Amino acid sequence: MALDPKLRDGIIASVEEGFAEQVSYTQELIRFRSIRGEEQAIQDFVFRAFRDRGLAMDRFPMDRAAIEAHPGGSKFTAEHSEAPIVVGIHRPREETGRSLILQAHVDVVPAGPEDMWTHAPFDPVIEGDWLYGRGGADMKAGHAANLACLDALRRIGLQPAATVTVQSVVEEESTGNGALMTHLRGYKADAVLIPEPEDEKLVRANTGVLWFEVEVRGMPVHVREMGTGQNAIDAAYRVVGALREIEARWNADKAGRPHFEGEEHPINLNIGKIEGGDWASSVPAWCRLSCRISIYPGTSAAAASREIEDAVRAFSRNDPFLANNPPRVTFNGFFAEGYVLEEGSEAEKVLGAAHRDATGKALESFMTAGYLDTRVHALYDRIPALCYGPTSRNIHGFDEAVSLSSLKRITTTMALFVAEWCGVEPVA
């Protein structure tokens, strides 16, 4: 049933009324340098923001044993965040609507060389329609929108008539274990909405992701006798060639895969980091590659990892040096599978109607070839997992920014969605 026009108009006006406050709160979030392992302070801030709104609070650590025992658990390393997960729960006076999880992550990727930014990366500057700052788009704007859509209802004296669980997680950029931890904690709902920066579209399909390292050992000698040694960095380059062959093979396998066969290059291998050697005048004795590759939905992380190991092993057997010094492959982060959001759910229909009311346009869907926490809810909760959020630019790059006009539209959509999906009742 569609929202009453008077209620719809009241919600739209309320989002507008509170938008300046929402932007200010988003700027506060951006000011936290919440890269991996440094999210404790922002989670304390989020805890207070949730509690101040009267939400019932839960704060808990990662349970490494439980995560590692779960098929969706990714790999732990020494760099894994120890910041807590923060959850705030709205409980209605009477449960008459459908329950909902609103989720966002606070961890952000490193900023890179700060002199390559127009403004300091953690200085939330507004220029025209754009709010700049590392993590502003991915996804602190969405994090703030989760609260803003509830605030919009409260501003007109209403609250959801169903349980709404607001989840603030870490490790989205590295393992996805934060979202998995909320699942293991027992939080579940009739649907989930995660406002990642998705250009006001709904994600229909999403790749899985693997992180792995390849370590190559060489034989050091003085460079005057370089021909008698073995250069680990040169050998690592040869291994990259073998990995590119895997990437090409997996891309060629896109035929017949809905949501992927029309994409030019759906599977991407990134050599994200390279370290090696000890001294400019010594043939390097070691080299370590840090890699990321995506996998199709329906492909298990375990099977894909075995294929990578087998390919490196097969290549090494035919390399004069590596045959006797095989590289070591270690999986060290994402070990996550992809998902497809099946069409036709009631949750998608409600989101589509809300989007049309907020934007005047039909809701589009698309495939995104990166990791999303919605995989936890799609694969393991088996509920409609909606990933939908604002227009952005340069996420993970320099001068990351989110469009403020788009942010207002998606916040309006979210508030309308919550009102229709959960129902509303007078504020307690």
Side-chain angles (χ1 to χ4, degrees):
M1 182 183 297
L3 284 179
D4 175 79
K6 184 177 179 181
L7 174 58
R8 179 196 62 207
D9 293 346
I11 292 171
I12 292 171
S14 183
V15 171
E16 174 75 35
E17 181 183 346
F19 191 65
E21 180 182 340
Q22 177 184 347
V23 172
S24 178
Y25 179 74
T26 305
Q27 290 175 298
E28 286 298 307
L29 293 174
I30 293 171
R31 289 188 178 98
F32 287 93
R33 185 179 178 274
S34 53
I35 62 173
R36 190 185 196 190
E38 298 181 23
E39 310 98 337
Q40 288 86 349
I42 193 172
Q43 287 291 64
D44 286 345
F45 177 82
V46 167
F47 183 95
R48 293 190 294 271
F50 286 8
R51 184 186 58 193
D52 289 348
R53 285 167 170 79
L55 301 178
M57 297 307 301
D58 190 13
R59 176 162 43 188
F60 48 93
M62 299 279 186
D63 184 336
R64 178 170 180 171
I67 291 171
E68 290 182 332
H70 191 278
S74 291
K75 306 301 182 181
F76 276 73
T77 62
E79 293 77 27
H80 196 287
S81 178
E82 295 182 356
I85 310 302
V86 173
V87 172
I89 307 144
H90 160 78
R91 294 190 176 95
R93 295 202 312 277
E94 186 178 357
E95 194 92 31
T96 58
R98 294 163 290 198
S99 60
L100 178 66
I101 292 171
L102 295 171
Q103 184 178 296
H105 65 89
V106 293
D107 54 308
V108 303
V109 302
E114 295 196 7
D115 61 355
M116 297 185 73
W117 288 71
T118 302
H119 310 286
F122 297 101
D123 180 15
V125 172
I126 296 174
E127 289 185 350
D129 186 47
W130 296 96
L131 170 58
Y132 290 87
R134 169 58 82 231
D138 188 13
M139 64 168 300
K140 290 175 178 177
H143 197 293
N146 283 342
L147 288 183
C149 69
L150 300 178
D151 291 346
L153 296 179
R154 180 170 288 271
R155 202 173 288 113
I156 56 175
L158 298 174
Q159 64 184 18
T163 298
V164 177
T165 306
V166 188
Q167 300 181 168
S168 179
V169 304
V170 299
E171 280 290 317
E172 192 274 349
E173 299 287 6
S174 308
T175 62
N177 285 341
L180 183 63
M181 191 63 230
T182 66
H183 165 80
L184 293 170
R185 187 76 167 182
Y187 289 110
K188 191 171 180 179
D190 295 318
V192 62
L193 175 60
I194 301 181
E196 289 273 11
E198 302 296 352
D199 296 331
E200 300 184 31
K201 298 177 184 178
L202 176 67
V203 175
R204 177 66 61 200
N206 181 228
T207 58
V209 171
L210 302 179
W211 271 14
F212 62 99
E213 287 183 345
V214 180
E215 185 169 350
V216 179
R217 294 297 179 94
M219 185 167 298
V221 296
H222 192 286
V223 291
R224 70 182 183 184
E225 301 163 344
M226 191 167 66
T228 65
Q230 293 291 342
N231 187 310
I233 294 176
D234 286 346
Y237 287 152
R238 300 198 295 273
V239 174
V240 169
L243 295 174
R244 291 293 178 202
E245 291 179 9
I246 298 174
E247 179 188 33
R249 187 165 65 248
W250 288 2
N251 274 292
D253 192 35
K254 66 183 179 180
R257 296 182 183 271
H259 316 297
F260 293 88
E261 59 185 350
E263 297 291 325
E264 181 178 352
H265 201 273
I267 299 299
N268 294 302
L269 166 69
N270 186 52
I271 310 301
K273 185 177 178 181
I274 182 168
E275 305 169 276
D278 301 294
W279 189 252
S281 290
S282 296
V283 171
W286 65 282
C287 184
R288 187 180 303 115
L289 306 170
S290 296
C291 309
R292 174 268 192 204
I293 196 168
S294 48
I295 57 178
Y296 295 112
T299 300
S300 77
S305 67
R306 285 193 298 269
E307 188 169 344
I308 291 168
E309 290 173 324
D310 290 346
V312 172
R313 189 179 301 115
F315 170 79
S316 299
R317 281 198 293 265
N318 294 309
D319 183 275
F321 173 67
L322 295 177
N324 294 314
N325 300 272
R328 184 175 66 178
V329 179
T330 305
F331 292 86
N332 66 333
F334 281 121
F335 207 72
E337 298 172 9
Y339 72 93
V340 173
L341 175 67
E342 299 301 331
E343 297 186 46
S345 73
E346 184 64 21
E348 183 177 336
K349 292 177 185 176
V350 172
L351 183 67
H355 174 82
R356 183 178 289 278
D357 283 342
T359 68
K361 300 176 182 178
L363 178 61
E364 299 179 40
S365 62
F366 74 125
M367 182 279 291
T368 184
Y371 173 82
L372 292 171
D373 272 340
T374 31
R375 61 105 191 186
V376 170
H377 309 283
L379 295 176
Y380 309 121
D381 286 340
R382 299 190 179 280
I383 61 173
L386 309 175
C387 191
Y388 162 89
T391 297
S392 67
R393 61 189 186 194
N394 301 332
I395 59 173
H396 291 210
F398 301 121
D399 293 342
E400 176 181 353
V402 62
S403 163
L404 294 176
S405 58
S406 176
L407 179 59
K408 186 188 296 183
R409 287 191 294 271
I410 71 99
T411 304
T412 303
T413 297
M414 292 171 64
L416 295 170
F417 172 80
V418 171
E420 173 64 18
W421 180 256
C422 300
V424 292
E425 63 182 17
V427 171

